[in-house]
Amino acid sequence: MAIAHEIISHYKVNIDREDCQKCKRCLTNCSFGVFSFNGERIIAQSNKCVACQRCVVMCPAKAIHISQSESFLPPHGNYTRKIRNIIWAQSGNGGVLLSATGNDRPIRSIFDDLLLDACQVTNPSIDPLRETIETKIFFGRKPKKLEFIVESDDFTDVSLKTQIFPNFEIDMPIMVGHMSLGSISYNACQAIYRAARELNIIAGSGEGGLHPDFYEFAPNIITEIASGRFGVDINYLNNAAGLEIKIGQGAKPGHGGHLPGEKVNSLIAQTRMIPEGSDALSPYPHHDIYSIEDLAQLIAALKEATRYKVPVGVKIAAVHNSAPIAVGIVRGGADFLTLDGFRGGTGAAPRIIRDHAGIPIELAIAAVDERLRQENLREEVTLIAGGSIRYSADLVKAIALGADVAMCSLPVLIAMGCRVCQQCFRGLCSWGIATQQEYLVKRLDIDIAKKRIINLFHSWNEELKEVLGAMGIDSVESLRSNRDRLRYIGPNPRIADILGVKHAGE
Amino acid sequence: MRWENYTSLPETFRNQRVFDGCGISGLINIDGTRISGDTVIDMLCILKERENGLGAGYAAYGIYPEYKDYFAFHFLFDNETAKSKVLEYLENFGSVIQSEPIPTSLSHEIDNPPITWRVFFNPISERNQDEAEKIVQIVMEINENIDNAYVMSSGKNMGVFKGNGWSHEIADFYKIREYKAYMWLAHSRFPTNTPGWWGGAHPFNLLNCSVIHNGEITSYGTNRRYLESFGYKCTLFTDTEVIAYLIDLLCRRHKFPISIATIALAPPLFDEIEKLDRKSQIIIKNIRATYRSAMLNGPFSIVVGNSDPIPTMMGLSDRKKLRPLVVGISEDENTIYMSSEEASFNRLMLINNRLDLKEVWHPKSGTAVIAKLGKGLIKNGIENPLKKRTIALLEVA
C-alpha cells in the first residue's frame, strides 16, 4: 500500500533514553512487533502499537510509556477520526472490518441512569456484616405450582406430588459469560473454571467444545451447542451442569462464530474436532433450526440425550423482537434463557454488526421479563442477562429489572490482566489471555488469575449484599423484578416507561 | 373520625404506595364459642401509640349463623346511585337473599356519612366455574370499575368493618361490641403518606380470608408483579393487599395447607435448611425455588384469619423479626390471643381479673403460629415445648 494512505497511529511509544538499559525485554514481550534493536538503541514503531501496556509493565527500568498520538487531524464533528479510519482501512483492504470486545460507541449506558432505593425510618435497613443476607439461587426450570400429598399440618409429613425439573444451586447470581477455548487460552479457561468452582457460580464453555482436562469442572460449567456444533459429542453433553443452545451473541446478532485458522492449533483442533489450521466459522443460523418448532426439537433431543438430568437453555442476542422470541423459546421447553445485549463482547466480530446491531440489555431484560409475566411464564424460567455487566452496580440493576443471573466476561478478562486493547481477533494477546501461542499463553499464571477472579466476584457479591441490606432485603429473590426499588434519572422518560421504572422524585 | 374518602383515595394520592405502622390484635376460640367484640376492642385500643386516628378495622368470624351458607358482602358506598348500581350488578350473577344496612351509630350530626350496606348472596352455579372464583371476579369488578363503591368483605358467615378514625371510634361506629364471633381480628394504623381512606383500612379481605398487617414489605414490586401474572390486580397499592392475594393464591388456588404457605412467605434461611433431613430439605428448597417471588421481605407481622376449610388463625413475623408479634394462650387452652404488644394481654387481665393466661410467648422470627378451630394450637411459632413463665400481673385496685 502506498505510503500516502497509511493510517496514522492512535498511540505513541515513548522510550526514556536515559533510563533504557537496552535489555531488550520489550522486544520479547511485545507480541505486536513494535520494538527492534538496531545495535545501538531500541527502536519503536508506534503504528504497530495497540497500547496493551505489556512493555510498560515489564520494562525493568520503567523507561517506556505510551501516550496518545499528538498527530492532529483536521477536526470534523461528523467525520470523526474513527469514521475516517474506517474508510481508510476499507479502501485499503476492501474487506469487512473485524473487531473485538464489545461495542465501543459512546452510547449512553441506561444502567448508569438508574438509581437505587434505600430504607429510611419506616423500615429498617439490614447490616450485612451482622445479619444474614442470602444470594443463593436455583438455576433451572421451576414448576408453575407445587402440589403436595398432605398427611398433617407439619411440613415433615408432606411429600411432593409435582414433577420437579433439574435445578442446581449457585451461591451468587453471577455467571461468567461464554468464552470458548480458542477465543481465549487454555490457561485463561483453567483459571475461570477453577474460580467458578471455588465460588460455586457457573461459567460458560463457549462454543468451542470442552477440553477433557476441564471435565472435572462440569458441575460449574454450562456448555454451549452452537451452529458449528464444535466439539459436541456425548462426553461434552454429559460433562455440564447445563446445556445452552447458542442462537445469537450480543456482539454479533445474526452471525456465527469467527475463529481464524491461525488460532486453531492442535489443542483447539482436538477440542473442537476440526482440522488444525482451518477457520472455525460457525454458520450464521443453525441449519437445523429455521423456526421455533425446530428449536423445540433440538431442546427435546438434548434433554433426551442427557436423560433429563440437566437444564437445557437457549441464548439469544437482544434484538428488537426479543420479547416474543423469548416467549416462544420458553414455550419450546427451554429451562433457562440467556439474553445478550448489544454491548456484549466477542473475540472477533465484524465491526459493522458489533457497533450497530441489537438493543441495550437493560431494555431487553425489561421487555422480556414483562412479556413472560403477561403470559405467566416468567417464574418457570431462569433468566440470565449479559452484555456489558461491568461492575456490581450493573449486576444489581439487571436483577432489579428482572434477571435471575447477571452474566459478564470482560470484567473477568480485565481481572486476569486484560488491558482492553481490543485486538483479541489477532491472536497476539501479549497477556496470554486471547491467544493460542504457547509462549504467550505461558504468561498467564493460572493461580494468580484464579485468585483475582475470585476476589472480583467476592467483592461484587459483598456489594450486592450491601445494596440489599440498604434496601431492607435479606434475600436476592426479593430484588428480582423489584423495579419499585429503581428510579430513572436519564434524559429520556420514554426509557423509564419501557423499563417500568418511575422517574426519580416520583 | 374522618367523614370523607370512603371508597377511594383522593385523586392526588392514587397510584402511590401506602406506607403505615400499625397495631394488630386477634383471638380465636378453639371450641367455637362466640364472644362479643369487647375483648378484641380492649386488646387493640390499648395500643394507642401504634395509631394516629387515620384508620382502623375489625374482622369477625361466625357473626351471621342464620345466613352461614351465603356469601356476605360488606359494602361502603358514597351515594345511593353507587348502591343501586352494585345491587343491580349483583343480580346478574345470582340471587340476593337479604340486602340491608350495616347498623351504625353516629355520635353526632354528620352531613355525608358513608352508606354501609350488607348483602347475603347466593351465586348461580355455572358449570366449569368455581363459586369462589366467581365471587373474586365480582369483588374485583366492583372495586375496580364501579365508582363510589367498595367491597369490604366477601366471605361466608363473617364480615369486615373498617373506616377512617381511631380504633375506638370505628368500634363504636359499627357497634362492634354487639356482634358475637369465634374469631376476631383487629387493626389500627399510622399511615405516613396519605390522609387515609375508609376502604384502605385493614383488615383486608378476599372471600373467607382476612389479613391484618403491620410493616412495610421491601419485596412489594417483586410480589406485585408475581401476582399480576396470575391475574390479580393490585389497585390499592398497599402491602396488605399483596399479602392477602398471596395467601389467596397459595391457600385457595394452589391448595397449600396454611403451614406450608407460611414457608413460602417466610422461608427458613439456607443455613437452617441445610441442617434438616434430606426429605425436608427437598420440600423446603422446592418451595423456595418455585415460590421465590412469593417470599415477603422487609419488616412485617401479620395475622391471618381464614374460615375455609377449617377456621384458622395464623400469626407470622418476618425472618428478622423487625415487627413485633406476641402470642398468649388462656388457662383452659381454649383461646389463643395474638397482638403487637403484651400490653393487650395485661389490659384484658386488668379488666377481667378472673382471666389468666397460661403462657405468653414471642414466636421465633419467620416461624408461624397456627391455631385451628376444634384442634387447638397446631404450631406455636417456636417449634419446641414452651417454658412456663409467669406474666407480671398488675394489681387491680
Side-chain angles (χ1 to χ4, degrees):
Chain A
M1 208 197 312
I3 212 160
H5 297 296
E6 202 168 279
I7 296 171
I8 302 155
S9 172
H10 276 286
Y11 314 110
K12 171 100 172 72
V13 182
N14 307 283
I15 301 168
D16 188 320
R17 299 294 170 191
E18 257 178 47
D19 290 347
C20 177
Q21 297 163 5
K22 300 174 189 167
C23 69
K24 300 177 210 126
R25 194 181 282 189
C26 50
L27 268 72
T28 49
N29 269 285
C30 181
S31 47
F32 295 89
V34 170
F35 299 100
S36 55
F37 185 64
N38 68 358
E40 256 180 53
R41 59 197 301 205
I42 306 284
I43 309 285
Q45 274 180 278
S46 287
N47 62 337
K48 290 185 176 172
C49 177
V50 298
C52 76
Q53 310 293 318
R54 180 78 190 181
C55 57
V56 176
V57 172
M58 299 317 281
C59 173
K62 301 288 170 222
I64 308 174
H65 83 268
I66 314 290
S67 58
Q68 208 176 330
S69 167
E70 284 161 15
S71 172
F72 184 71
L73 284 177
H76 192 286
N78 193 24
Y79 278 86
T80 57
R81 180 177 189 138
K82 186 174 153 184
I83 302 273
R84 275 176 267 182
N85 276 349
I86 289 173
I87 297 169
W88 281 323
Q90 284 190 315
S91 50
N93 63 28
V96 172
L97 295 183
L98 274 185
S99 63
T101 67
N103 193 327
D104 72 345
R105 293 172 63 201
I107 299 170
R108 197 180 175 92
S109 155
I110 299 172
F111 280 135
D112 289 343
D113 286 337
L114 293 172
L115 300 175
L116 303 173
D117 189 20
C119 294
Q120 298 288 295
V121 184
T122 53
N123 55 5
S125 43
I126 303 165
D127 179 350
L129 295 177
R130 293 188 174 84
E131 302 201 56
T132 313
I133 292 184
E134 300 179 308
T135 58
K136 188 195 280 286
I137 67 144
F138 296 92
F139 195 107
R141 178 176 281 258
K142 321 290 187 285
K144 214 173 228 115
K145 65 175 199 175
L146 289 179
E147 285 184 271
F148 301 98
I149 300 162
V150 183
E151 274 144 47
S152 84
D153 281 292
D154 205 52
F155 73 80
T156 49
D157 274 345
V158 300
S159 38
L160 269 179
K161 217 160 96 183
T162 311
Q163 161 116 35
I164 301 301
F165 306 99
N167 264 266
F168 58 87
E169 296 169 24
I170 52 176
D171 289 346
M172 302 171 179
I174 297 172
M175 171 175 174
V176 180
H178 286 275
M179 291 177 286
S180 64
L181 178 64
S183 74
I184 58 171
S185 66
Y186 178 92
N187 286 13
C189 286
Q190 178 83 260
I192 289 169
Y193 300 154
R194 282 195 199 174
R197 180 167 66 184
E198 210 157 300
L199 291 164
N200 192 29
I201 59 170
I202 40 168
S205 70
E207 62 168 295
L210 193 65
H211 193 278
D213 289 2
F214 301 145
Y215 286 173
E216 59 168 308
F217 304 107
N220 296 91
I221 292 181
I222 297 214
T223 53
E224 205 170 54
I225 292 96
S227 55
R229 299 287 195 275
F230 296 126
V232 179
D233 65 1
I234 194 62
N235 293 324
Y236 184 66
L237 299 181
N238 284 335
N239 280 289
L243 304 175
E244 181 179 282
I245 300 166
K246 178 194 173 185
I247 299 294
Q249 181 177 342
K252 41 180 169 177
H255 272 235
H258 302 72
L259 188 70
E262 302 88 75
K263 273 185 158 184
V264 183
N265 60 19
S266 65
L267 180 85
I268 307 300
Q270 180 199 344
T271 312
R272 297 205 174 207
M273 304 173 189
I274 54 170
E276 227 175 297
S278 62
D279 284 341
L281 304 177
S282 44
Y284 285 19
H286 286 245
H287 284 300
D288 54 355
I289 303 176
Y290 283 177
S291 65
I292 193 76
E293 63 271 25
D294 295 341
L295 176 68
Q297 280 186 1
L298 183 58
I299 294 171
L302 289 172
K303 286 185 177 177
E304 185 71 28
T306 49
R307 308 310 303 152
Y308 303 91
K309 282 186 188 145
V310 296
V312 175
V314 176
K315 178 166 86 177
I316 54 167
V319 290
H320 304 183
N321 267 336
S322 291
I325 297 166
V327 168
I329 290 170
V330 177
R331 285 201 203 287
D335 300 326
F336 62 92
L337 174 69
T338 310
L339 282 173
D340 197 6
F342 84 138
R343 280 200 177 84
T346 176
R351 180 180 272 271
I352 179 76
I353 295 286
R354 186 198 75 169
D355 289 358
H356 299 276
I359 63 167
I361 189 62
E362 299 91 329
L363 299 174
I365 298 171
V368 168
D369 178 74
E370 184 59 31
R371 185 62 182 266
L372 287 173
R373 277 171 198 284
Q374 285 164 2
E375 313 234 0
N376 199 5
L377 293 167
R378 175 65 190 92
E379 294 303 313
E380 291 176 59
V381 72
T382 301
L383 183 63
I384 305 148
S388 205
I389 302 293
R390 301 159 298 172
Y391 57 151
S392 59
D394 294 350
L395 162 98
V396 168
K397 292 166 189 177
I399 292 173
L401 285 172
D404 287 276
V405 180
M407 172 180 78
C408 72
S409 301
L410 189 52
V412 176
L413 300 185
I414 295 174
M416 287 195 284
C418 165
R419 267 37 175 204
V420 199
C421 72
Q422 304 159 52
Q423 304 296 317
C424 320
F425 58 97
R426 292 167 66 183
L428 294 172
C429 178
S430 64
W431 296 96
I433 298 167
T435 178
Q436 301 307 325
Q437 300 198 31
E438 214 181 321
Y439 84 103
L440 295 173
V441 174
K442 275 197 297 199
R443 293 178 180 179
L444 187 69
D445 184 307
I446 295 170
D447 288 325
I448 292 173
K450 178 197 85 173
K451 184 68 193 155
R452 293 182 62 86
I453 299 169
I454 290 172
N455 286 344
L456 177 75
F457 287 143
H458 176 76
S459 65
W460 283 24
N461 205 49
E462 289 303 302
E463 287 179 342
L464 169 63
K465 288 183 189 175
E466 294 286 347
V467 170
L468 290 173
M471 288 182 175
I473 291 175
D474 71 353
S475 183
V476 73
E477 292 116 298
S478 297
L479 176 68
R480 198 200 50 162
S481 296
N482 201 344
R483 300 182 192 171
D484 286 42
R485 310 311 296 275
L486 296 174
R487 287 293 184 273
Y488 180 75
I489 199 174
N492 182 355
R494 177 83 182 109
I495 290 179
D497 289 346
I498 295 169
L499 294 178
V501 169
K502 286 183 177 167
H503 199 280
E506 282 187 313
Chain B
M1 297 217 357
R2 297 201 161 208
W3 301 102
E4 57 189 2
N5 306 329
Y6 304 127
T7 60
S8 63
L9 265 173
E11 195 72 42
T12 37
F13 294 100
R14 275 180 219 166
N15 301 338
Q16 278 188 19
R17 235 181 107 196
V18 182
F19 300 115
D20 47 18
C22 304
I24 55 180
S25 294
L27 66 90
I28 181 171
N29 284 329
I30 301 302
D31 67 355
T33 312
R34 293 159 63 219
I35 57 167
S36 119
D38 289 338
T39 313
V40 82
I41 293 170
D42 289 331
M43 286 174 74
L44 182 71
C45 293
I46 193 72
L47 308 176
K48 203 165 177 180
E49 294 283 302
R50 299 188 161 270
E51 58 179 324
N52 65 354
L54 291 179
Y58 299 84
Y61 285 79
I63 52 173
Y64 301 129
E66 63 275 31
Y67 293 109
K68 65 180 168 41
D69 297 327
Y70 305 112
F71 289 95
F73 284 114
H74 274 200
F75 293 110
L76 283 172
F77 299 118
D78 288 327
N79 50 44
E80 289 292 333
T81 327
K83 191 181 99 189
S84 37
K85 222 186 256 178
V86 165
L87 293 177
E88 213 172 284
Y89 174 74
L90 281 180
E91 298 282 351
N92 300 329
F93 305 102
S95 44
V96 171
I97 306 296
Q98 174 76 0
S99 178
E100 61 190 18
I102 299 172
T104 54
S105 79
L106 287 173
S107 51
H108 50 99
E109 208 51 47
I110 303 297
D111 285 344
N112 183 26
I115 300 167
T116 54
W117 202 263
R118 68 186 166 213
V119 165
F120 297 97
F121 184 71
N122 194 18
I124 302 166
S125 52
E126 284 173 42
R127 271 204 313 180
N128 307 329
Q129 184 161 31
D130 186 28
E131 222 178 35
E133 196 60 49
K134 187 75 233 172
I135 297 293
V136 171
Q137 274 177 20
I138 292 172
V139 171
M140 297 262 169
E141 176 65 23
I142 294 173
N143 285 349
E144 209 186 340
N145 294 328
I146 301 189
D147 287 345
N148 304 315
Y150 180 79
V151 184
M152 288 197 284
S153 61
S154 50
K156 285 180 179 173
N157 197 10
M158 61 81 61
V160 166
F161 307 87
K162 58 186 178 178
N164 197 353
W166 293 91
S167 53
H168 64 271
E169 291 174 333
I170 300 299
D172 292 342
F173 176 71
Y174 284 108
K175 304 183 181 179
I176 296 295
R177 290 172 203 278
E178 290 174 18
Y179 291 93
K180 286 196 156 170
Y182 61 82
M183 177 159 70
W184 283 96
L185 269 60
H187 183 268
S188 61
R189 61 195 289 253
F190 192 138
T192 52
N193 71 341
T194 71
W197 59 292
W198 284 50
H202 302 194
F204 192 88
N205 165 281
L206 192 65
L207 294 169
N208 295 308
C209 181
S210 306
V211 179
I212 50 177
H213 155 249
N214 168 26
E216 179 182 327
I217 50 173
T218 52
S219 54
Y220 177 81
T222 303
N223 303 139
R224 179 175 57 82
R225 301 190 69 225
Y226 176 61
L227 287 166
E228 281 168 356
S229 52
F230 286 97
Y232 292 92
K233 287 169 191 151
C234 302
T235 51
L236 298 183
F237 297 94
T238 66
D239 297 347
T240 319
E241 179 189 37
V242 155
I243 296 171
Y245 291 160
L246 282 173
I247 290 168
D248 182 63
L249 175 75
L250 294 169
C251 293
R252 185 174 63 85
R253 287 172 65 175
H254 289 187
K255 300 190 169 54
F256 274 39
I258 186 83
S259 56
I260 303 287
T262 62
I263 294 175
L265 299 175
L269 296 171
F270 282 113
D271 289 350
E272 292 167 12
I273 297 173
E274 298 298 336
K275 292 177 197 152
L276 301 170
D277 61 276
R278 199 177 136 67
K279 190 186 161 215
S280 308
Q281 279 195 27
I282 291 171
I283 300 276
I284 296 185
K285 281 187 176 178
N286 273 297
I287 294 172
R288 274 203 82 161
T290 309
Y291 292 93
R292 59 202 189 282
S293 297
M295 175 180 176
L296 294 172
N297 225 305
F300 70 86
S301 56
I302 53 172
V303 175
V304 176
N306 194 353
S307 55
D308 185 33
I310 302 170
T312 306
M313 185 165 77
M314 186 275 284
L316 179 70
S317 65
D318 64 85
R319 306 199 300 171
K320 302 241 177 321
K321 197 136 189 181
L322 301 171
R323 286 291 184 272
L325 186 68
V326 53
V327 184
I329 185 166
S330 64
E331 194 62 59
D332 61 2
E333 298 192 5
N334 186 46
T335 312
I336 315 292
Y337 302 91
M338 297 185 192
S339 183
S340 294
E341 292 180 30
E342 222 169 307
S344 298
F345 308 149
N346 291 338
R347 171 77 179 161
L348 290 185
M349 285 183 283
L350 200 68
I351 293 167
N352 176 3
N353 58 11
R354 278 169 309 175
L355 175 77
D356 195 6
L357 293 185
K358 191 179 174 193
E359 303 279 354
V360 169
W361 70 97
H362 297 87
K364 218 173 100 185
S365 56
T367 313
V369 182
I370 299 171
K372 271 194 179 176
L373 196 78
K375 285 194 177 174
L377 196 63
I378 297 210
K379 285 165 81 75
N380 60 20
I382 294 190
E383 314 309 356
N384 52 30
L386 290 165
K387 226 172 81 190
K388 180 81 183 166
R389 65 178 278 248
T390 33
I391 311 156
L393 270 177
L394 297 166
E395 279 301 317
V396 183

